[in-house]
Every structure is written in C-alpha cells, then in structure tokens.
Amino acid sequence: MTLFRQIYALLFGLFLLTIASVAYVQFSETQGFLSKQMESDLNNASNSLGLMLTPVLEAGDDAGAETLVNVIFEGGYYQQIKLTWLVGGKQQVWNNAVRVDNVPQWFIDLNLFKTIKKQTTITSGWLQLATLEITANPGFGYQELWRVISDIIILFSILFLIAIICARVGLSWILKPLNTLSVHAKKIAERQFGPDMPAPKTKELKELVNAFNSMSAQLKQVFNSLDEEVSALRKKNLVDQVSGLPNRQYMVSRVNGWLSEPSTGALYLVKMDWLEEVHSKYGFQVRDETIRILAEKLQHHQDEISSSVIARIAAYEFAFLVEDCEHDQLTKYLQSLIRTVNKEISKSGCKPNEQFYIGVAERLGQMTVSDMLAQADNALQQAIKDEKVFHWFENTQKQLFTREEWRSNLNNAIKTRNFQFRWQPIQLCARDEICQRELYCQLKIGETTLHAGQFMPYVELLSLGTMLDRCLIETINENRLFERNYERVAINLTYQSISDTDFHIWLKQFLRASKYADRICFEIPEASVYSDLESCENLCKVIRDSGAHFGIDHFGRQFGSMAYLQSLRPNYVKLDQSLAYIEDNQHNSELCRALVNVAKGLDIQVIVTGIQEAEQLTRFTDLRVDAYQGFIAPPVNIDL
C-alpha cells in the first residue's frame, strides 16, 4: 500500500471513529431525553384523568367514566389504559398497538425504550373508588428518535464527503514532493538525470529532496566523467593531434569492420607532397596549420557528397573511406576531393595538380583488409609513376546488375518473398548460454542466391529499406521463427525504416498483435542515432511500449558524446567490430574499458562483436562484457 493510501486510510478511520462517537453520544442523549419526556407526559395524564374520574365514579356513572377514558386514550400516545372499580371488581382495558408512521419496523423492533407505566388510586376522601393504570405508547419516542438519527446521518454524510475530499486534496498537495521524488528516484534508477527538483516548504521533505538532488547530480557527474574519459582516450589514441582527424590505427580498424559487413564503397589513398614544400618555405608551424585547415575543408566539402571517414595515416598521406556508395557516386566524390585539395594548394602558393596523387580501390565482392589496402596502395604508386592526379585500380570483377536491374530484381524478390535465413548465436560470457540470435537474410534472384553484402547497399541506395524490413518481419512471423527458441531474435533495421513514420505506425500495430513481442530485438546503427536522434527516440518508444527490445549496433564507432544512451535507454549495445581489430595495447584496452563502463554505468548489457578466436575473447572478457558474437560461433542455416 502506498504512503498516500496509508495516511488517507488513517485519517478516514479517525474521522469515522469521531463521527461514530459523536453520533453515539447524540443518540444516547436524545433517547434519554425522550424517555423522560414520555414519563413526564404519562404522570400528567395520570393525574389529570384521575381528577376527572373522581366525581363520575362518586356518582356511580360507569358510562361517563368510560367516555372520559376514551377521550384521553384517543388524544394521546398511550399503549394501554386499565381501569379497575374497587367496588364490585369490574375492570376495563383499552389497548393500542405500537404503530408509527414513517419509521421502519426494524427500528421499532430494536426496543430502544423501556415500558413506562403509571398506576394511581382514585379516592373520594378516605374512600378508594378505583385503580387507574396507564402504559405509555413509545411511538412518539421512536418517531422523534428516528427523525433525529436521520438528520444526523445526512449531516454527517455530507461532512464526511467534504472531509474525505478535502483530505484527499490536502494530502495530494502535501505529498506532492514525495510523488515527484518517487518519479525522480525511478528516473535515477533508469540512469536518467533530469533537472533538479524544486525544494518543498516542509522541512523534512526539503532535506530529502536536497539529498536526492545531490545524489542525482553526483551520478550525472560520474556519467559525464565517463563520457569525457571516452572522448579523451579516443583523442589520445585514435586521433591525429595536428589535423584532428582519425589516425592510421583507427582507419585500419574501421576498414576491417567495413569489410566484415554488407556494404559497398571505396578506399582512397592520397599523398600530398606539396605539404613538404610548404614546410620548407614557411616552417613546420605553417605546415601544421595548413594541414589543420585542409582537414576542416575536406570534412566539410566531402560530407556534402557522401558521408566518409577521413584519416591522416602518415605525415603527408591521407585515407578516405567511403561506404555504401556505387561507382557514379564514388566518381563525384573523387572530383570533389581533387577540387578541394587544389584550392588549398593554390592558397599555399603551390601549383595545382602537382605533387598530389590519389589511388582509388573500389570494393567489389568479398575482400580482405590486406587486399583492399594493397589495391589502394598499388593505385597510388601507379598514379605517382604516371605523374597523374589519380589512378583507379582496375578490377576485373564485374557488377552483377545495373542499377535498374537491381531495382527490378529487388522489387520482384521482395514481393515474392524469396528469402533464405541464417541466424548467429550470441553467447553469454558468464555461462554457456545463448542470450539471443541475430538474424541474417539472403535473397534469391533467379537462380542466384545473394547475401546481404551484395544486395543491402542497393536496398539503401534505391530506398527500398522500409519495404524490405516490413516484408522480412512478416515472413519471419509467418514462418514462426519467433516460436522456435526461447532466445530473442535480433533484426537489423535499415536507415530508411528508422526515419519512416509510416513504418513506426505499422510496427506498433504488428507488435501489439504479436504474442511474441518480448522475443524480438531490433538493432539500430549508431550512425542513425547521430544523424536523426528524434526519429530514433520515436521508434524506440514504440518498441519499448509494445514490449519488444532494442539495441544500438556499432556502438563506439562514431566520434561523439554517449549522452544519447540516457534518452534512448537501449536494452543492450554491440561494440563496433572495429574495436575488436584495434591492436592490443594498454591505451586501447583503456578505451574499450571506458566504453564498456559508460554502458554498464547505465545498466545496459554490453555485447562485443567480431570475435574470431578464444584469445581475442579473453581480452574482452577481462573488460566485463556480458556477451560475445562472431565467427567463433558461426551463423546457422534455418529451414523454413
């Protein structure tokens, strides 16, 4: 029972006890008063009737005596009158049943009034003529007592209703700080640190609210400190101090993660020997400032063409990783890159298109990090040899389909639901159990079976993400995959679905109609959180309110604050695969540990991905991650 109800019940009981006591006292006094009034009335009636009967009885007029008694009997509240003549022993009795109008019989049957009798002897001088016995009728008492009780009940009922309403309103106002405190405490338990609560006027509650505000501020400071620690470690270990761009170590790990996922794009290696000329002319300070300005320009202009990762991997070498782009978009990116660099070359007093080389390696099919870096470096060396601005590595592998062929084939495959599924177990670190299974799909186009790495880039490019996600979820549900295991099934959502309001509405209806909503997990890439936080918040609210679960994929990939974890409150986060490829040293272990501590500090489950071997897993187990995923436990085909 809540504190409000306990206090409310106590006040209710005390007020009820008070009313009952007052009602009892009023009832007792009224009953006593009416009893005395009836006794007094009976004495008066007995004396009056005795005086009137004396001359009649002296004359021996029996008929006159009866007439006088009838007059008195019919005009008053008397239950019985008994007249006994002492001469001759004659006796006459008048009776009247106890009947009272507007008073319930059960009340009369309570016998609240004792029988009141008065017996007198009628005399003439020393001669006794008769005896007169009168019994009072309690009807008057019952009638008056019932009226008084009815008035008391009505009055006290009105007072009672007014009192409980006032008590409820008053208690609500008095205990409002406690209610606010309860809500605030729940938010703190969920690691949501909002603004401080206003201090109430009540001294005791004021001290309690101040204590909670202090505790909330300290926990918020702890989280902010962890967030700042992550930023500091990233800047220290993965960021080039001169340009402010990611360094070689980060780029290699990012390429590794990129190649392990379904995607397209290209890697550009750029050598800028003109920066050495700037150094020789103006000194290292001007050179470093030129590099910093160049980095800012590259980030600004290149992101307008396509999102990319730009890193400084050597003194005069830069790497550009462009993901999820087809060949035409990659060509535009290259042209923009050449224009941007040439502008800075001109500003530095050097000649454009000289001492500036680009090697481009486009991702086609399955490639390793070594293959990708080797192709990009070969292209760069060829550009230097030919003294050309750029060289595009020639890959003999051809695209499966043109863009329009992809559109037609994907639309047809989605409509006919030519899906094949695999799922990969995610193992708990503490015990040998599976906590969830991540679902992967393959599409069959004609006689060719395509994995996600081949078709997903074109799904995003052709804006078919929402259609694919809806069809995929419906197919999974129709084939009862949610019922096959007790573990939850994780489904990756596309960028388009995350920002599509219509998809949110459809998903809400689907989850509410599903019996297995609690077995479904939806994974949202961290890039979507940074690019469209509002849509992610709306989608996460739909998922949470429907009883399903969600997590953040590629956690730690983006360079930014982790404050979004407080507003989204995911059930779990998956560390980005690039973290699994970062070289094992003390500084990088500190970065991973800090990322884990940020999530664990908010009571969020942490899953490490990209685990290929036991030695790699041991390193992350020491960081207190909750579960792991990778080809150490490979995906398994699902029979539909």
Side-chain angles (χ1 to χ4, degrees):
M1 183 182 292
T2 62
L3 178 62
F4 176 86
R5 291 185 177 180
Q6 290 178 356
I7 298 177
Y8 192 64
L10 177 62
L11 293 177
F12 179 88
L14 291 175
F15 189 76
L16 196 62
L17 180 61
T18 303
I19 288 180
S21 301
V22 173
Y24 177 75
V25 171
Q26 183 66 30
F27 174 81
S28 299
E29 291 182 353
T30 303
Q31 183 185 20
F33 173 76
L34 291 174
S35 296
K36 291 179 180 179
Q37 187 175 359
M38 287 189 293
E39 187 176 355
S40 175
D41 181 66
L42 188 61
N43 287 334
N44 292 335
S46 179
N47 292 332
S48 299
L49 184 58
L51 292 174
M52 287 188 292
L53 286 175
T54 299
V56 176
L57 294 175
E58 287 177 346
D61 186 359
D62 294 344
E66 293 179 8
T67 301
L68 287 173
V69 173
N70 286 332
V71 171
I72 295 298
F73 185 73
E74 293 175 359
Y77 278 97
Y78 308 109
Q79 186 174 355
Q80 186 183 74
I81 295 179
K82 185 187 294 183
L83 182 61
T84 305
W85 282 264
L86 296 178
V87 179
K90 180 183 176 182
Q91 186 181 69
Q92 189 168 352
V93 180
W94 288 264
N95 289 306
N96 184 18
V98 180
R99 293 188 182 89
V100 187
D101 295 335
N102 301 322
V103 179
Q105 185 61 39
W106 63 266
F107 187 72
I108 297 173
D109 294 338
L110 294 176
N111 295 321
L112 298 174
F113 295 99
K114 298 179 180 180
T115 302
I116 302 175
K117 294 183 180 181
K118 178 66 176 179
Q119 184 175 0
T120 58
T121 303
I122 302 173
T123 61
S124 178
W126 297 99
L127 180 64
Q128 294 181 344
L129 301 176
T131 60
L132 179 66
E133 183 182 280
I134 303 177
T135 303
N137 190 332
F140 172 75
Y142 283 115
Q143 191 174 44
E144 287 299 311
L145 188 59
W146 177 256
R147 182 184 63 79
V148 171
I149 290 177
S150 298
D151 291 343
I152 291 175
I153 291 175
I154 293 173
L155 177 61
F156 282 4
S157 297
I158 294 173
L159 292 176
F160 182 73
L161 289 174
I162 294 174
I164 61 175
I165 292 173
C166 292
R168 186 175 188 87
V169 174
L171 281 176
S172 298
W173 182 77
I174 293 172
L175 298 178
K176 185 177 180 181
L178 281 181
N179 294 332
T180 306
L181 195 63
S182 176
V183 173
H184 197 69
K186 290 179 181 178
K187 288 184 178 180
I188 291 176
E190 296 173 352
R191 311 305 195 271
Q192 298 181 53
F193 310 112
D196 288 347
M197 295 180 292
K201 296 180 179 179
T202 307
K203 180 180 178 181
E204 293 80 1
L205 293 179
K206 184 177 181 179
E207 294 175 353
L208 189 60
V209 167
N210 289 337
F212 262 85
N213 284 339
S214 176
M215 181 177 64
S216 177
Q218 292 176 19
L219 290 174
K220 185 177 181 179
Q221 181 61 37
V222 169
F223 176 80
N224 291 338
S225 298
L226 289 173
D227 196 12
E228 290 171 2
E229 181 184 355
V230 170
S231 299
L233 288 171
R234 279 174 170 166
K235 187 174 182 180
K236 178 181 178 181
N237 301 326
L238 302 177
V239 175
D240 175 64
Q241 301 303 313
V242 175
S243 64
L245 296 173
N247 58 19
R248 181 183 185 87
Q249 182 179 347
Y250 177 80
M251 176 56 77
V252 171
S253 65
R254 187 65 183 267
V255 171
N256 233 320
W258 170 56
L259 293 175
S260 65
E261 299 170 356
S263 184
T264 56
L267 178 65
Y268 302 74
L269 292 184
V270 182
K271 187 173 178 60
M272 302 186 189
D273 291 337
W274 60 273
L275 290 171
E276 177 61 32
E277 184 178 343
V278 173
H279 184 198
S280 62
K281 286 182 179 179
Y282 307 107
F284 74 92
Q285 291 181 335
V286 174
R287 180 202 63 185
D288 289 350
E289 181 64 16
T290 302
I291 291 174
R292 186 188 64 79
I293 295 173
L294 175 63
E296 292 178 355
K297 296 292 184 181
L298 289 171
Q299 287 179 308
H300 175 71
H301 292 294
Q302 297 309 112
D303 282 348
E304 293 179 352
I305 306 300
S306 177
S307 60
S308 59
V309 181
I310 305 175
R312 185 187 181 205
I313 59 176
Y316 304 128
E317 290 186 18
F318 293 77
F320 298 75
L321 176 61
V322 185
E323 303 174 351
D324 300 324
C325 284
E326 60 176 357
H327 185 80
D328 292 344
Q329 192 74 4
L330 294 174
T331 302
K332 292 180 181 179
Y333 189 93
L334 176 61
Q335 293 170 353
S336 174
L337 175 60
I338 295 172
R339 286 195 302 269
T340 302
V341 175
N342 277 330
K343 286 181 182 179
E344 298 305 313
I345 291 176
S346 298
K347 290 178 182 179
S348 300
C350 300
K351 294 182 180 180
N353 295 326
E354 292 187 7
Q355 304 182 72
F356 163 44
Y357 311 99
I358 303 174
V360 185
E362 186 175 359
R363 176 181 176 180
L364 295 172
Q366 296 292 329
M367 300 179 68
T368 65
V369 177
S370 300
D371 293 339
M372 198 74 202
L373 293 175
Q375 289 182 10
D377 187 63
N378 289 338
L380 177 62
Q381 298 306 320
Q382 189 65 41
I384 296 172
K385 180 180 179 181
D386 297 341
E387 295 186 352
K388 294 181 180 179
V389 174
F390 73 92
H391 180 81
W392 202 295
F393 185 85
E394 294 183 3
N395 198 314
T396 57
Q397 185 176 358
K398 297 182 179 180
Q399 293 283 358
L400 286 173
F401 308 107
T402 64
R403 179 187 289 202
E404 289 307 313
E405 287 174 339
W406 272 114
R407 184 188 301 275
S408 175
N409 289 332
L410 286 172
N411 275 308
N412 182 64
I414 293 172
K415 288 179 181 178
T416 56
R417 301 193 178 184
N418 288 330
F419 294 114
Q420 293 180 357
F421 295 103
R422 309 176 76 197
W423 54 22
Q424 185 176 36
I426 298 175
Q427 304 277 152
L428 291 172
C429 294
R431 52 188 183 274
D432 188 19
E433 293 182 10
I434 298 174
C435 62
Q436 61 174 255
R437 299 174 186 270
E438 182 172 353
L439 201 68
Y440 302 105
C441 76
Q442 298 174 327
L443 273 181
K444 192 171 184 181
I445 299 179
E447 298 299 323
T448 306
T449 300
L450 304 178
H451 57 78
Q454 293 174 288
F455 67 82
M456 279 304 300
Y458 293 95
V459 169
E460 296 284 1
L461 180 66
L462 300 172
S463 300
L464 299 174
T466 299
M467 183 187 300
L468 176 66
D469 285 341
R470 285 186 58 171
C471 185
L472 178 65
I473 294 171
E474 288 174 346
T475 304
I476 295 171
N477 187 57
E478 289 171 2
N479 287 277
R480 301 180 179 275
L481 296 190
F482 299 127
E483 305 175 32
R484 294 197 181 186
N485 298 283
Y486 290 108
E487 301 89 18
R488 298 188 179 109
V489 176
I491 301 172
N492 291 279
L493 294 177
T494 61
Y495 291 95
Q496 185 184 0
S497 296
I498 293 170
S499 59
D500 189 344
T501 305
D502 292 336
F503 177 79
H504 297 180
I505 297 172
W506 174 85
L507 184 62
K508 181 178 181 179
Q509 295 172 345
F510 171 82
L511 291 175
R512 290 192 172 181
S514 174
K515 297 179 181 178
Y516 302 97
D518 62 324
R519 295 188 186 177
I520 308 175
C521 296
F522 295 98
E523 297 194 352
I524 299 172
E526 190 180 54
S528 292
V529 177
Y530 282 101
S531 63
D532 193 356
L533 179 59
E534 183 179 357
S535 294
C536 290
E537 289 176 338
N538 294 335
L539 177 61
C540 293
K541 186 177 186 303
V542 168
I543 296 172
R544 186 186 303 108
D545 293 346
S546 301
H549 305 264
F550 67 93
I552 303 299
D553 202 7
H554 310 311
F555 178 67
R557 171 181 289 187
Q558 306 298 317
F559 279 13
S561 172
M562 304 292 175
Y564 70 84
L565 293 175
Q566 295 186 57
S567 59
L568 295 184
R569 290 182 291 127
N571 300 98
Y572 62 91
V573 294
K574 286 187 174 180
L575 292 176
D576 187 58
Q577 288 194 23
S578 62
L579 297 172
Y581 300 108
I582 291 178
E583 298 174 4
D584 186 13
N585 59 56
Q586 182 179 358
H587 295 304
N588 293 326
S589 295
E590 289 176 357
L591 174 59
C592 292
R593 187 183 301 279
L595 284 169
V596 172
N597 287 339
V598 168
K600 300 284 280 186
L602 296 173
D603 197 25
I604 299 172
Q605 186 184 44
V606 180
I607 301 172
V608 60
T609 61
I611 300 299
Q612 311 296 340
E613 52 190 25
E615 182 180 354
Q616 193 180 20
L617 175 61
T618 302
R619 180 161 60 92
F620 282 94
T621 304
D622 294 339
L623 299 179
R624 298 187 306 111
V625 298
D626 299 291
Y628 63 92
Q629 176 185 7
F631 275 85
I632 193 171
V636 179
N637 292 327
I638 303 174
D639 295 327
L640 299 180

